[in-house]
Amino acid sequence: MATTLGAPRPDPAVYMLRGAAGAGRAYKQELLELLDVRPGQTVLDVGCGPGTDLPALAERVGVSGTVIGVDRDPAMLAEARRRTGDLSAVEIREADVHALPVEPGTVDRAKIDRVLMHVDEPAEVLAQLHAATRPGSRIALAEPDWDTLIVDAEDLDTSRAFTRYTTSEAVRHATIGRSLARHAQRAGFVVETVRATTPVFLDFPEADHTLGLGRNMQRAIQDGHVDEARGRRWFSSLSEEPFFASFTLVTVICSR
């Protein structure tokens, strides 16, 4: 596993599948339980990526239900189709999440998991979701708040500079987690439950892979946010002592 400063970004599908099996396992399980999917329902996975959650959703809807996975990345969709090829309940549709390819008022359950932080207009995606869901439907939203990212190091100032760079430059809507309930309410949903989960990383290589410590520090250096010598010392020090990093992820359950 690469733990070098400026290592290339991992394959997106591999990255997402590995994250779901590691630091994301606990919150994903809770999200699916709170979504309360039932047999025969139509479930929409907005930004389904490589189909991480599609098999679990298909199992819950049974033979009489439908699971629709939507993504715009052909590579992600190819992996999703490969993973769900033998699941008759699953439909994979290529589309931008700003224009969901579903009939209005036809969805019983829907989820958006770590997608809104990347899209152009989160409010437009939620408006699309509101139109797609039927009255009484349940929606699960999950997004991180990258302002809460902490990385333990002797050089605390550089750790803070790394978090500031992540928030201001590396992620488009880096703090949407804290405002997720507000966005949902403005879109017309009724907020029922708000949960905060804190994934903890004690393994440096795993954290480097998931949090992009080396590749984002290299970008911060190149963009002039962190002095190169200081950034390199900070990154090297992370593997020399017991490691700790964490951030907060917010889950919102709402209804239509």
Side-chain angles (χ1 to χ4, degrees):
M1 185 187 307
T3 54
T4 58
L5 191 68
R9 184 175 180 84
D11 176 85
V14 173
Y15 173 85
M16 293 181 70
L17 292 167
R18 182 171 163 179
R25 181 181 299 170
Y27 93 86
K28 275 188 169 292
Q29 182 176 350
E30 180 183 59
L31 182 148
L32 291 177
E33 290 174 356
L34 291 172
L35 191 55
D36 189 28
V37 175
R38 301 178 183 181
Q41 290 184 328
T42 296
V43 181
L44 176 63
D45 190 349
V46 179
C48 66
T52 308
D53 300 323
L54 297 179
L57 294 171
E59 181 180 1
R60 285 165 169 78
V61 301
V63 295
S64 60
T66 302
V67 177
I68 303 169
V70 177
D71 207 286
R72 70 176 183 179
D73 186 324
M76 290 287 190
L77 293 170
E79 177 62 20
R81 290 189 178 98
R82 187 191 69 79
R83 289 171 56 82
T84 62
D86 60 344
L87 301 176
S88 60
V90 176
E91 299 178 11
I92 306 296
R93 301 180 184 179
E94 182 174 354
D96 191 296
V97 296
H98 294 83
L100 294 175
V102 295
E103 291 296 320
T106 58
V107 173
D108 300 294
R109 298 287 188 268
K111 61 176 281 289
I112 304 180
D113 182 0
R114 294 172 301 153
V115 172
L116 295 177
M117 65 176 174
H118 299 302
V119 303
D120 293 334
E121 298 292 342
E124 176 57 29
V125 176
L126 290 175
Q128 286 277 313
L129 189 58
H130 191 271
T133 50
R134 65 173 94 245
S137 61
R138 180 175 287 256
I139 297 91
L141 311 172
E143 298 290 338
D145 187 316
W146 290 114
D147 250 358
T148 65
L149 173 63
I150 57 173
V151 181
D152 179 49
E154 289 285 347
D155 186 353
L156 182 58
D157 287 342
T158 299
S159 287
R160 287 171 170 164
F162 178 82
T163 296
R164 285 195 300 272
Y165 179 79
T166 300
T167 302
S168 63
E169 303 294 334
V171 182
R172 179 173 289 172
H173 304 291
T175 60
I176 195 168
R178 72 184 65 179
S179 58
L180 202 52
R182 172 162 52 85
H183 280 286
Q185 188 173 28
R186 286 182 177 177
F189 297 112
V190 177
V191 175
E192 297 182 350
T193 303
V194 180
R195 300 280 181 89
T197 305
T198 305
V200 170
F201 299 84
L202 302 177
D203 180 74
F204 169 61
E206 186 66 26
D208 184 35
H209 178 271
T210 302
L211 302 176
L213 301 176
R215 61 182 180 270
N216 284 335
M217 177 54 79
Q218 181 63 41
R219 290 174 57 191
I221 291 170
Q222 292 173 344
D223 293 349
H225 291 260
V226 177
D227 173 76
E228 181 172 7
R230 190 166 187 172
R232 289 185 176 278
R233 284 196 302 271
W234 175 86
F235 182 75
S236 296
S237 74
L238 299 180
S239 62
E240 296 171 357
E241 296 186 86
F243 181 82
F244 177 89
S246 69
F247 67 93
T248 299
L249 187 141
V250 179
T251 299
V252 172
I253 305 298
C254 46
S255 58
R256 164 78 154 81

